[in-house]
Every structure is written in structure tokens, then in C-alpha cells.
Amino acid sequence: MKEEKRIERKMYFPDKNKDSLIGVIKTHPYGFKETYPERQVNSIYYDTASLDNFWDNENGHENRAKLRIRWYGKDLEPNKEAMIELKMKMGEVGSKIREKVSDNKDQRIKDMFKITSPVIKIYYKRRYFESADRKIRMTVDFDITYEGLSNSKNYSKPYTEPGCVVEIKYDVSIDDKISGITQIFGHRINKFSKYARGIFSCYY
């Protein structure tokens, strides 16, 4: 089990393709380099029957949590390497607890499983970058697809997001530098949750 703490910022680009965004990142003055091959990211998100985690996000609650199972590759069903991730946020600072599905020991995760069930599957392609000083990580997500898992009568067919999402991840200590890093995109940091977007796309 591992707990990570960091700040995550997101920029959603509804009208730009991944190639133009990757071009900006590769010519960024902070010297971003690709650190990992492109791969597919798959997640199943859990929530309560009344979607409490979703509404906590929509209502901007400072303290909130999301439970998911995550794995990688083209297989749309969890494999033996699948991880449980409990993402928690207190204000601007987020933390994440990760452990293998086959080795669930954290009591907080066990308690969340007791009151939640799978509500949505989200999968997309991701490219990975890191700044020259290795203090900032940046990812580009594209071909983002949402698939509802509930038996709700509002369920719709899988929906693929037309745009791309850039995520910036870094330590709290350098938060004051981030505006300078994002200016080159000509775009403001904005609130974007794949989970919330997926719930709206599939059920509302």
C-alpha cells in the first residue's frame, strides 16, 4: 500500500487534437520529455446508490473521495495487475492510496467498498511527459470513452469525448510556478473530472 500527496491541475481542450497539444509540450521552455510509451488507461468507478461522491464533486465540497479500480492495456476487463485507488482531496491538495485488488488491506478502502458499487467504466489513451528538473509531470489524455454500468433506466450507450485533457501533477511546494507553466497553452486551468463528465454523459 502506498499513499501519495500532490496537486493536480487540469486543462480541457474541446477543440484541439492530441498532436497539437503534444507539440506545445515538447517545445515548452521547461524541457518536457516523453517518459513512458502511450498506453490505454482503464478505470471502474464506484459510488453510492445516490451518487454521493459525484455530488460532492459537483457541489465543490473541500473534502471528498473517489474509489476506483484501475488497470492498463487494451483489455476492458480488470487483469491480475489491477489496482484499487482511493483518491482523497482536502482543498487543493490530493492524496491517493493504491494497493492491488488481490491484496486489499486498507480499512478505508474496505469501508468504501461496503457502501458503493460500480457505476461507470472510463477508458482512454494517455501520453506521459516530465520536466527537465523532474519536478512536474504532464499527461495528455484523448479518445476518452465513458460506459455506464448501472441498470438505471437513464443509462445511455458508451460516449467518446471529442476533446483532450492535459493534467499537470506536482508537489505543493511549487504551486506558485504553475501559472507560468500553463501560459504557453493559451488556456486557463479549469475544473474537469472525467468521472463527473462520464456520469453526466451516460445518465443525464
Side-chain angles (χ1 to χ4, degrees), residues 40-189:
Q40 181 166 304
V41 182
N42 313 287
S43 300
I44 293 175
Y45 285 83
Y46 287 66
D47 209 334
T48 63
S50 54
L51 299 177
D52 291 331
N53 298 338
F54 165 73
W55 288 113
D56 282 349
N57 179 83
E58 288 304 292
N59 294 326
H61 290 178
E62 285 199 349
N63 300 335
R64 55 190 188 270
K66 282 188 288 192
L67 180 66
R68 69 189 181 197
I69 293 176
R70 171 160 288 187
W71 68 102
Y72 300 93
K74 295 181 179 180
D75 191 347
L76 293 181
E77 296 301 324
N79 55 38
K80 63 181 181 179
E81 300 300 322
M83 301 289 289
I84 304 169
E85 297 184 347
L86 177 59
K87 295 189 72 175
M88 298 166 287
K89 198 162 188 181
M90 299 182 66
E92 295 293 330
V93 180
S95 62
K96 182 167 63 176
I97 299 170
R98 303 177 72 244
E99 59 182 8
K100 279 194 173 183
V101 172
S102 58
D103 189 30
N104 180 201
K105 296 178 180 178
D106 189 273
Q107 190 60 46
R108 288 166 291 186
I109 291 177
K110 289 181 178 180
D111 291 342
M112 285 286 284
F113 273 129
K114 290 177 183 177
I115 60 172
T116 61
S117 59
V119 293
I120 196 166
K121 182 185 292 182
I122 301 176
Y123 44 97
Y124 50 89
K125 305 289 177 50
R126 170 169 279 185
R127 300 278 292 270
Y128 299 79
F129 302 87
E130 188 175 61
S131 60
D133 61 8
R134 305 188 69 181
K135 292 183 178 181
I136 303 164
R137 286 183 287 164
M138 196 175 293
T139 56
V140 180
D141 298 338
F142 54 98
D143 293 344
I144 305 166
T145 302
Y146 312 112
E147 181 180 338
L149 300 178
S150 169
N151 291 325
S152 166
K153 64 181 180 180
N154 295 327
Y155 167 72
S156 66
K157 293 181 180 180
Y159 171 77
T160 299
E161 186 75 54
C164 301
V165 176
V166 173
E167 292 191 18
I168 306 166
K169 304 168 187 180
Y170 56 92
D171 187 80
V172 179
S173 62
I174 61 170
D175 191 37
D176 59 338
K177 298 180 180 180
I178 293 304
S179 61
I181 292 170
T182 59
Q183 282 178 355
I184 196 168
F185 289 95
H187 194 81
R188 291 184 178 182
I189 288 172

